[in-house]
Amino acid sequence: MIITRFAPSPTGTLHIGGVRTALFNYIYAKQNNGKFLVRIEDTDQVRSKTEFEENIITGLHDMGLKPDADPVRQSERKHLYLDAAHRIIESGQGYYCNCSTERLEELRNAQMKAGKKPMYDGKCRDKGLEKSENTVLRLKTPNDGEVRFNDLVRGEVVFNNSELDDLILLRSNGTPTYHLCVVVDDADQGVTTVIRGEDHLSNTPRQMHIQQALELSALEYAHLPLVLGENKKRLSKRDSVTSLDEYISKGYLQTSMINMLGRLGWSKGDKEIFYIDDLLKDFRIQEVQKAGAVFDLKKLDWINTNHLANLSLEDFIIQLNPYLDELGIKTSNRQNAETIIENLRTTASTLSEIAIDLIPYFADIKEYDQKSVEKFIAGSKNILEYVLRQLEPLDQWTEQALDEVLAKCQKELDLKTPQLNQPIRVALVGSVKSPSLGLTLSLIGKELSLERIKKGLEMTF
RNA sequence: GUCCCGUUCGUCUAGAGGCCUAGGACACCGGGUUUUCAUCCCGGCAACAGGGGUUCGACUCCCCUACGGGAUGCCA
């Protein structure tokens, strides 16, 4: 059975690159009737925070990437790593080293100066030192030969052992390092396929050596190209929005994020809109691009517009509600709330912006667009007064009736449509953004419409 | 510095030696529909990093250079 895993370290919130890695792991597992696991790599006690761990777990949950077992924490499995380290010592494949960090530093500098690759020179390799307070445990890495593996996205990858040094397995304080933990955990959890970021590519041969020392079977690998920011550099908080929760709070749908991330670095014909089921059916990890891919916010907007449009009204409202709540908007005070939302649902590409556009229909206008006021209201006293007089006696406040009144006004005042409509529109919603005028009036209702027009009148001269 | 990986329109990509006058999508620009906005429709702009090979023929294969990224930690 195929078992994949997503192994984040809780040193920050879940970012979109991580979501993509998790997504691909999830898809690959599901496509093979396998399991998708989550492992929290929290061995860095200084930087790891439980709040980040929670953020990651809820983020995965929000994305619908449900693990097939409860997440495990490396901090709770130390005994496994120490056990493994012990076996490596016993089998003579590791050794204690007491080289000081100063010596290592000097060594590195000297090697770089000489134009060589910096690596540990194996000074303590055959000394047979005993464990003591200032010794680390190193792995005896083969000096020659090569490691090769077949990467699902890159094809065959080869590393010369001569490029690899004896890496540290146990720190002098006795704690295990990342490489040991990863290898031990993957084996313990029965992981068969490691799908991770390209930044781990050169870690792979090291980990394979640990596997060999532990007599573990080799794994299948897929190294994903990195998600890049607009500057073509690795996505960083400095220059772009990286955190999943920021996208969620801006009002991008879960399905849009999945679509965007799944389509990033991969394609299927001319298709652009994918839901998780489409990905499960068509995605092939072998088809993902080898080069890094820029995360394009404009494209995300477009994708979200499409996903929003595909929602039923009922689902749309369910998705929208939290954003309305966020603005303190109550839709319960209007019996035609659904109709309003139905007619305004395409005003923007994110739920948070749509919620903002809905303010005039459910609450007081927060602010009038000054330009529109100057352009359309300021000099329209006569128009507004006239329309107000025509509207006041109207009993049938329906779109059709309103359109008729409007048409009549236009004829009698001898105005072009926008000349009549725009001033009224701005008075009604505070900007030039609204559905057709008759509809807008009917949505807002008689009482409030008249009130707004009177208020508009106060802005004229 | 050294090692590894990568390089098609601004962006995501199609392209596995002749199908390429390099296709699609987003963005952008123009036009149309719409009383405004959004939607929608039509059209346009725009790329094989550079140089050498191999071949009758190269975006596709090989080499070099350039550029970008990653690794080089008692971080993960």
Side-chain angles (χ1 to χ4, degrees):
Chain A
M1 179 167 52
I2 295 289
I3 299 182
T4 65
R5 47 58 161 196
F6 175 55
S9 55
T11 54
T13 54
L14 181 60
H15 62 98
I16 51 182
V19 175
R20 191 168 79 130
T21 304
L23 173 65
F24 290 180
N25 271 288
Y26 177 86
I27 293 172
Y28 192 72
K30 297 298 159 188
Q31 284 179 332
N32 292 286
N33 295 315
K35 286 184 179 173
F36 167 64
L37 270 25
V38 172
R39 180 170 73 228
I40 304 294
E41 309 216 318
D42 56 352
T43 52
D44 185 335
Q45 293 184 352
V46 185
R47 295 194 299 152
S48 294
K49 298 244 160 55
T50 41
E51 60 185 275
F52 292 139
E53 182 181 321
E54 282 161 20
N55 177 282
I56 291 166
I57 300 293
T58 61
L60 290 173
H61 179 264
D62 289 348
M63 288 296 104
L65 304 175
K66 189 174 179 291
D68 292 301
D70 287 338
V72 300
R73 281 184 209 86
Q74 285 190 328
S75 58
E76 294 166 358
R77 337 173 90 220
K78 197 177 170 187
H79 59 282
L80 287 175
Y81 316 130
L82 297 183
D83 240 42
H86 203 75
R87 273 185 282 146
I88 288 177
I89 301 162
E90 294 291 284
S91 64
Q93 297 183 88
Y95 63 93
Y96 287 104
C97 161
N98 65 2
C99 291
S100 65
T101 43
E102 292 75 33
R103 175 177 124 74
L104 263 21
E105 184 74 14
E106 272 173 41
L107 184 65
R108 262 195 289 276
N109 290 339
Q111 287 166 328
M112 275 172 69
K113 215 169 178 179
K116 287 186 182 164
K117 182 172 182 163
M119 41 188 204
Y120 180 62
D121 60 358
K123 185 179 179 214
C124 302
R125 189 168 166 126
D126 298 311
K127 281 188 182 168
L129 294 173
E130 288 295 310
K131 178 183 167 118
S132 75
E133 266 179 27
N134 57 357
T135 55
V136 297
L137 177 68
R138 285 184 187 271
L139 178 75
K140 271 187 194 164
T141 305
N143 289 322
D144 38 39
E146 56 187 28
V147 202
R148 56 177 68 215
F149 59 95
N150 195 47
D151 191 287
L152 258 19
V153 346
R154 271 146 223 288
E156 188 169 62
V157 182
V158 185
F159 286 89
N160 283 319
N161 286 337
S162 60
E163 299 294 335
L164 274 17
D165 62 2
D166 293 344
L167 81 172
I168 295 174
L169 264 20
L170 251 32
R171 301 187 185 95
S172 50
N173 67 5
T175 59
T177 59
Y178 164 72
H179 293 291
L180 212 214
C181 297
V182 170
V183 170
V184 170
D185 280 331
D186 284 339
D188 179 71
Q189 298 188 94
V191 169
T192 59
T193 310
V194 174
I195 302 174
R196 73 227 299 198
E198 188 188 50
D199 47 340
H200 287 287
L201 188 62
S202 39
N203 287 335
T204 306
R206 300 167 186 284
Q207 291 166 194
M208 289 178 76
H209 280 133
I210 301 176
Q211 282 161 11
Q212 281 157 17
L214 257 13
E215 296 180 320
L216 300 170
S217 47
L219 306 177
E220 186 175 39
Y221 291 95
H223 287 93
L224 270 15
L226 269 16
V227 178
L228 274 22
E230 274 176 296
N231 55 3
K232 282 260 181 189
K233 293 220 192 311
R234 186 180 183 160
L235 205 56
S236 93
K237 283 176 187 142
R238 220 160 288 119
D239 44 64
S240 11
V241 180
T242 59
S243 203
L244 174 69
D245 44 30
E246 292 182 69
Y247 286 94
I248 298 300
S249 70
K250 281 185 177 187
Y252 291 99
L253 294 171
Q254 178 247 58
T255 59
S256 302
M257 296 308 291
I258 295 289
N259 190 156
M260 180 70 189
L261 262 6
R263 177 60 235 278
L264 196 62
W266 175 82
S267 68
K268 172 81 180 175
D270 290 346
K271 197 169 155 87
E272 294 288 348
I273 300 301
F274 293 89
Y275 286 83
I276 187 70
D277 287 345
D278 300 315
L279 293 173
L280 255 11
K281 180 168 163 282
D282 288 330
F283 180 83
R284 293 288 174 279
I285 189 115
Q286 295 85 346
E287 293 172 349
V288 332
Q289 205 79 16
K290 292 184 186 70
V294 175
F295 190 86
D296 185 358
L297 294 167
K298 288 280 179 49
K299 180 123 182 196
L300 211 214
D301 279 340
W302 178 81
I303 288 175
N304 204 47
T305 301
N306 280 275
H307 282 249
L308 247 19
N310 288 345
L311 253 27
S312 67
L313 179 59
E314 191 187 350
D315 287 339
F316 181 84
I317 290 172
I318 291 171
Q319 296 293 332
L320 179 69
N321 274 331
Y323 300 87
L324 256 16
D325 290 346
E326 184 76 16
L327 294 173
I329 294 178
K330 288 195 184 60
T331 54
S332 52
N333 56 4
R334 293 199 144 248
Q335 78 280 40
N336 64 340
E338 277 200 16
T339 315
I340 295 174
I341 294 171
E342 183 175 17
N343 283 286
L344 275 289
R345 61 183 282 183
T346 61
T347 58
S349 56
T350 61
L351 289 165
S352 63
E353 291 173 86
I354 293 170
I356 289 170
D357 289 334
L358 281 165
I359 292 176
Y361 300 84
F362 295 101
D364 290 340
I365 296 173
K366 284 240 170 25
E367 63 180 323
Y368 286 79
D369 177 58
Q370 272 321 111
K371 272 195 178 154
S372 302
V373 171
E374 280 164 35
K375 189 170 175 190
F376 297 113
I377 292 200
S380 305
K381 191 169 181 207
N382 295 341
I383 298 173
L384 291 178
E385 271 175 352
Y386 187 86
V387 172
L388 185 61
R389 271 204 306 278
Q390 301 302 309
L391 252 23
E392 269 172 338
L394 188 67
D395 292 325
Q396 275 244 293
W397 199 263
T398 61
E399 183 178 357
Q400 197 193 350
L402 287 158
D403 278 340
E404 281 167 24
V405 174
L406 255 14
K408 200 166 140 242
C409 291
Q410 190 180 337
K411 200 175 172 197
E412 283 164 8
L413 292 172
D414 190 26
L415 293 170
K416 295 206 158 115
T417 318
Q419 288 177 307
L420 174 80
N421 286 11
Q422 291 300 66
I424 306 171
R425 191 188 310 278
V426 176
L428 288 173
V429 301
S431 75
V432 293
K433 279 180 82 171
S434 99
S436 73
L437 195 55
L439 178 60
T440 305
L441 280 162
S442 77
L443 291 176
I444 290 182
K446 181 169 181 180
E447 193 185 343
L448 192 53
S449 294
L450 297 181
E451 201 177 290
R452 293 252 169 97
I453 294 174
K454 283 175 193 162
K455 205 162 170 205
L457 231 23
E458 292 166 19
M459 291 183 258
T460 62
F461 53 80

